[in-house]
Amino acid sequence: FREIEEIFRQTDQEFIEILNDIRIGNINEQQIKSLNEHYVKEVPRRVVQVVPMKNEANRINMENLDKLGSQLFEYQANILVGEKELKETDFPCDFDLKLKIGALVMMITNDQENKRWVNGTLGIISALSPTMVKVTINGTDFEISPTTFNKYKCEYDREERKLKYIVESSVSQFPLILAYAITIHKSQGMTYQQIACNLDNCFAPGQAYVALSRCANYDK
């Protein structure tokens, strides 16, 4: 085993120490005071909010979508395999995706072929039709194609004496979600330069640490 010791996401030493002390449950009053200096009553426009509960993320996303005056489009996921075994919670995509031009969205897959975005890249919806979605990412418009999302089950092949992964259920959907708010669970592994964290109602050990540590820039 090797212990990973080098931190790449953050460079601010004060922030690194605060995060580490939160992680081990050893935060002090001075560190709490430092964190509270970053408190805001109103979240700036188009800043991702990281929250503990999915229903809270859905509420924030719908409230912000409703504020846009553009036409609402809805895109239903296409079930490809395993209709009886299908559970929306097993997939990162929304089965009923609601979008408007101007909406803040997040990509939920890596663009393996062209390297135009990665899982967690933010963008703005620039054009919509019943069958087409365009997103502006870093000033460039991209037409997004539906992606296949698979849920696998593991089985042991006795003849070959090895584990095999079999597609249990599968759907096709545009690989993006509204990004005004996401859950702490969904934010794991992602890095943002600017976020807002709502730590009310954290219900599992480590959630506050995961939420705060998604941000690379302590000033943001």
Side-chain angles (χ1 to χ4, degrees):
F1 293 96
R2 289 174 181 256
E3 183 175 354
I4 298 173
E5 297 179 340
E6 189 171 354
I7 294 171
F8 290 93
R9 183 176 284 117
Q10 293 88 20
T11 58
D12 185 294
Q13 192 58 39
E14 180 189 10
F15 193 27
I16 289 171
E17 290 175 3
I18 289 173
L19 291 173
N20 193 54
D21 285 340
I22 289 174
R23 181 178 62 82
I24 63 177
N26 193 37
I27 190 167
N28 60 47
E29 289 298 324
Q30 182 58 42
Q31 291 171 322
I32 291 173
K33 181 180 178 181
S34 178
L35 281 172
N36 283 339
E37 291 173 357
H38 298 266
Y39 172 78
V40 293
K41 289 185 178 180
E42 297 292 332
V43 178
R45 185 170 176 261
R46 291 180 176 173
V47 171
V48 178
Q49 298 185 55
V50 182
V51 300
M53 310 292 288
K54 186 175 182 179
N55 59 356
E56 177 69 1
N58 290 340
R59 181 189 66 78
I60 294 169
N61 281 322
M62 288 301 102
E63 283 184 357
N64 280 274
L65 193 68
D66 289 343
K67 291 177 182 178
L68 298 174
S70 47
Q71 181 183 349
L72 176 69
F73 287 82
E74 295 190 48
Y75 304 91
Q76 303 298 320
N78 182 24
I79 301 171
L80 305 176
V81 177
E83 186 170 357
K84 292 183 179 179
E85 296 85 5
L86 205 68
K87 293 181 182 178
E88 186 169 0
T89 53
D90 289 333
F91 297 88
C93 60
D94 289 340
F95 282 16
D96 180 17
L97 179 62
K98 295 180 174 67
L99 298 173
K100 290 181 178 181
I101 292 175
L104 178 67
V105 293
M106 181 176 70
M107 307 307 296
I108 55 172
T109 59
N110 296 326
D111 181 20
Q112 300 283 12
E113 184 176 351
N114 299 304
K115 313 296 183 185
R116 295 169 296 180
W117 60 78
V118 296
N119 183 14
T121 296
L122 297 177
I124 303 295
I125 297 294
S126 57
L128 294 169
S129 78
T131 58
M132 180 274 297
V133 173
K134 275 189 179 180
V135 178
T136 301
I137 298 174
N138 295 326
T140 302
D141 282 351
F142 299 106
E143 185 168 339
I144 310 300
S145 300
T147 296
T148 299
F149 296 90
N150 296 320
K151 180 195 174 187
Y152 296 91
K153 63 180 178 180
C154 186
E155 292 184 352
Y156 181 68
D157 189 316
R158 294 185 179 277
E159 291 185 3
E160 296 188 18
R161 293 186 177 183
K162 65 179 182 180
L163 294 173
K164 286 188 174 181
Y165 291 91
I166 300 169
V167 175
E168 184 177 53
S169 51
S170 179
V171 300
S172 176
Q173 180 59 291
F174 289 103
L176 50 86
I177 58 174
L178 289 171
Y180 297 101
I182 61 173
T183 62
I184 294 171
H185 175 74
K186 188 164 282 188
S187 75
Q188 291 183 93
M190 295 179 182
T191 300
Y192 299 104
Q193 292 301 313
Q194 184 173 21
I195 61 170
C197 297
N198 183 344
L199 303 180
D200 287 340
N201 303 314
C202 284
F203 58 87
Q207 280 192 315
Y209 166 76
V210 170
L212 293 169
S213 63
R214 296 312 88 200
C215 194
N217 186 345
Y218 193 33
D219 292 332
K220 298 293 184 177

